[in-house]
Amino acid sequence: MAFTVPLPRTSPDGGIARWYEDELGWAAVAGPPAGLVTGLRFDVLEVPAAAGRGVLRRMGATTGPVALIGRRMGLLVAAGSAEELPGLLDWLEWGGIALDLAALGADGRMTAPLPPGWSGSGAPGAAVWLRAPVPGREVESSLPALRSAPWGVAGAPCLVRLVAAAAAECHRVRLLSARTRRAAQQRSPQRFASS
């Protein structure tokens, strides 16, 4: 009597985590959803998607890899940049202003977008690369960094410029949404209780 052995199961994330580890050397955790560990090879500056589009217009092609994760955009920056964010915002005179701007650094996780060229489910809100990392190239040297920091590379984009653009765009989006809410409230009929 012959027994058949079932084929090995594929990982729930379809090998996404393994691809990032093998092709880019990035630490990843299997999913679902697969995640990329931040703080080792890169950090992530997170902004609302609307603000992120403005940042990409301002910065042009000088940003590194960029992912869209639901309604947020993640801009990859040099490892250690998350620790610099509060000081940079203060120095740029954005300290104390409520901005929808966050950074993922040491011990953080970013949802891993499908690797470039992979087809996926296309689920709404799934993480996708807007500017994908290129296997075979050293991604870290092209990430925005502080030029005076030991990890800053002469050809890398400037983290200060990126944070300044991100703060301005986050503030702009916040002001526009507040104006839109006020206009909607003014258009809606007001109901008064009768006595």
Side-chain angles (χ1 to χ4, degrees):
M1 181 172 199
F3 291 101
T4 58
V5 177
L7 294 172
R9 291 185 181 178
T10 58
S11 64
D13 65 12
I16 294 172
R18 191 171 46 254
W19 184 89
Y20 281 102
E21 290 172 346
D22 294 346
E23 296 297 322
L24 297 176
W26 291 356
V29 291
L36 301 175
V37 180
T38 59
L40 301 174
R41 306 285 299 267
F42 60 88
D43 288 350
V44 178
L45 187 63
E46 280 192 348
V47 297
R53 286 189 293 275
V55 171
L56 295 179
R57 276 192 305 274
R58 282 177 179 229
M59 299 295 292
T62 63
T63 59
V66 178
L68 182 63
I69 306 162
R71 294 178 180 215
R72 305 218 22 107
M73 197 174 287
L75 299 106
L76 273 61
V77 294
S81 297
E83 295 171 9
E84 301 292 336
L85 183 62
L88 277 176
L89 289 171
D90 284 343
W91 185 73
L92 292 166
E93 298 183 2
W94 286 105
I97 298 174
L99 300 170
D100 192 3
L101 174 66
L104 299 173
D107 300 323
R109 300 260 188 300
M110 170 187 153
T111 301
L114 282 177
W118 285 35
S119 61
S121 65
V128 296
W129 285 114
L130 299 178
R131 294 185 181 163
V134 179
R137 281 198 195 157
E138 185 180 322
V139 174
E140 290 78 13
S141 65
S142 67
L143 297 177
L146 288 174
R147 297 216 189 273
S148 62
W151 59 85
V153 178
C158 181
L159 180 65
V160 175
R161 283 190 57 224
L162 179 65
V163 170
E169 289 298 326
C170 285
H171 190 60
R172 184 185 64 77
V173 166
R174 184 170 172 246
L175 292 175
L176 288 174
S177 67
R179 185 181 337 162
T180 303
R181 279 193 306 274
R182 275 195 311 274
Q185 289 171 345
Q186 290 172 352
R187 285 192 303 264
S188 66
Q190 297 202 359
R191 298 179 186 203
F192 298 96
S194 59
S195 35

